[in-house]
Amino acid sequence: MLEKVGKSLMSIKLLRKVFNWGRAWSLWSVHLETGCCGPEDMARACARFDTERFGTLPFPTLRECDLIFVTGFVTKKMAKRLKIVYEQMPEPKYVIAIGHCAISGGLWWDSYSVVQGVDEIIPVDVYVPGCPPRPEAWIQGIRMLQEKIAKEGVKKK
Amino acid sequence: MTDKSTEELVVDSVKAKFPEDVIDAKVQRKNRVSISVRGNKIYDIGLFLRDELGFDHIASVSGIDYIDAKEFEVIYYVWSMDKKVLVGLRTKIPRDNPTLKSLVDVWEGGLYHEREIWEMFGIKFEGHPNLSLLLLPEDWDGPPPLRKDFVLPETHQERLEEKIKKLSGG
């Protein structure tokens, strides 16, 4: 019932714009570091680059988060935990894959223990290449995601 | 006092105590000593190092796979807090039957290190209380991954080739 009401509200163009605007500018990210792009995550969140200007605030509660940065390689052991984290987040949720390792396995492209690209486990919205990508690249990734959200239709998944 | 260094004294005392079992003992550089011993005698030499010479801290355990010689080498790195010397205690075991008496009784800190060597090389440590997977995924059922003859599972390789084809084609 609620879902139907939501969908019909979202089909009104103006309302949809308002919703998408709200979503795009309050992307709270899960504080979860899987690999060694983690320090860049701290750099982009802290005062110098301060992605809270774009509404991206690292937050410890999964239930209030909209965004995961997959920072670096994901081992097969970590993959299960990452999936649990992803499933605990409420819709709508977005994923940004950071670094070569998260995109395709990177250095560990033929490893026995590393997932070959995080898109094998969870759907990815934006890929940010680099080893590790600088905080400016992260900001570009966030901006790309915001543009993507602004064009979003009635239902994503 | 003799003018011998601490490292040389360690080498000499081990050689004097176990003339049969020590294959090679030498000073590598300052603070580093390497002692190669025969098979399971490593347990007695470990006890001697701990009780008589004061090597009380186990820093690491590592393994090497000499696939051409059909041997594994296990190296125990032990450190003496008083002498400030790191000893690499090495032993070679046959590749087709890799078992070694566990040195957990000697240095209890080796618990996790031996577990790691067990899962990465498949070397069984007799007397180790808990040989279970440490770093590998819980559902791992393949061969030990750090052996030289380890090949990736076929599904993994097929997926890789598919991905490479997709990336180079598109």
Side-chain angles (χ1 to χ4, degrees), chain A:
Chain A
M1 177 65 193
L2 263 175
E3 206 171 311
K4 264 187 185 173
V5 173
K7 266 188 186 172
S8 53
L9 281 176
M10 282 291 274
S11 58
I12 304 167
K13 202 180 171 189
L14 185 70
L15 265 181
R16 197 165 73 224
K17 272 195 169 172
V18 174
F19 269 121
N20 286 344
W21 172 79
R23 279 173 184 172
W25 291 90
S26 74
L27 289 167
W28 288 11
S29 69
V30 181
H31 197 103
L32 171 87
E33 319 295 351
T34 58
C36 30
C37 291
E40 298 295 318
D41 192 17
M42 292 154 214
R44 67 96 190 151
C46 289
R48 183 158 181 178
F49 295 97
D50 193 17
T51 48
E52 209 185 328
R53 290 176 295 162
F54 308 102
T56 305
L57 171 74
F59 206 70
T61 320
L62 300 178
R63 303 282 182 200
E64 295 169 37
C65 286
D66 320 276
L67 174 63
I68 296 189
F69 285 107
V70 182
T71 50
F73 60 85
V74 181
T75 56
K76 281 176 187 163
K77 216 170 174 177
M78 188 68 190
K80 281 180 197 166
R81 279 79 183 174
L82 180 67
K83 184 131 180 123
I84 291 170
V85 167
Y86 180 75
E87 279 165 0
Q88 281 187 27
M89 287 161 62
E91 292 273 358
K93 48 196 171 186
Y94 307 95
V95 178
I96 298 184
I98 297 286
H100 291 151
C101 308
I103 294 170
S104 67
L107 274 178
W108 292 275
W109 65 277
D110 60 350
S111 168
Y112 60 90
S113 64
V114 175
V115 175
Q116 307 301 310
V118 73
D119 46 8
E120 290 185 6
I121 324 164
I122 53 178
V124 177
D125 293 287
V126 175
Y127 297 88
V128 180
C131 189
R134 281 190 55 83
E136 292 92 329
W138 290 60
I139 292 171
Q140 193 191 1
I142 294 167
R143 297 289 292 136
M144 280 170 79
L145 182 59
Q146 285 176 339
E147 281 164 24
K148 188 174 173 179
I149 293 169
K151 287 176 202 154
E152 213 164 63
V154 175
K155 190 71 190 135
K156 195 166 79 104
K157 286 164 196 136

Side-chain angles (χ1 to χ4, degrees), chain B residues 42-76:
Chain B
I42 195 170
Y43 187 85
D44 300 326
I45 295 169
L47 269 180
F48 174 73
L49 280 178
R50 186 194 68 178
D51 295 336
E52 310 288 326
L53 300 180
F55 284 87
D56 46 7
H57 172 74
I58 185 159
S60 179
V61 179
S62 65
I64 305 174
D65 184 2
Y66 291 110
I67 191 163
D68 294 329
K70 294 193 169 55
E71 279 176 326
F72 285 121
E73 187 167 33
V74 182
I75 311 169
Y76 288 80

